[in-house]
Amino acid sequence: GVYDPYGKQNGFSHPQMFALFDLDKDPYELANIYNATVKANPTLTSELHGLLRQFYECRGAECP
């Protein structure tokens, strides 16, 4: 998740918080593993940001 209080107005260009959870190990989403994942696997977090951007910009039936 990407949290930006003015997200829709600024296209999520200034996010203030990121959240990433391993739902298999943490189904209640108690441990945010985003920072650890950025350090351990920056490629993965970059891919996730790209996917999130695709979903943000698509509309209706055009969404993957």
Side-chain angles (χ1 to χ4, degrees):
V2 176
Y3 300 97
D4 184 336
Y6 302 104
K8 289 187 178 184
Q9 292 88 353
N10 69 22
F12 291 94
S13 62
H14 302 329
Q16 295 181 1
M17 186 178 138
F18 298 93
L20 180 64
F21 300 96
D22 182 342
L23 297 179
D24 290 330
K25 295 178 182 176
D26 182 20
Y28 299 109
E29 299 178 2
L30 300 175
N32 184 356
I33 61 170
Y34 180 82
N35 289 335
T37 305
V38 167
K39 291 177 185 174
N41 193 347
T43 303
L44 174 62
T45 52
S46 178
E47 289 175 17
L48 291 173
H49 284 287
L51 289 171
L52 189 60
R53 176 58 58 189
Q54 284 179 353
F55 282 110
Y56 174 71
E57 293 177 356
C58 72
R59 301 286 184 265
E62 70 183 46
C63 290

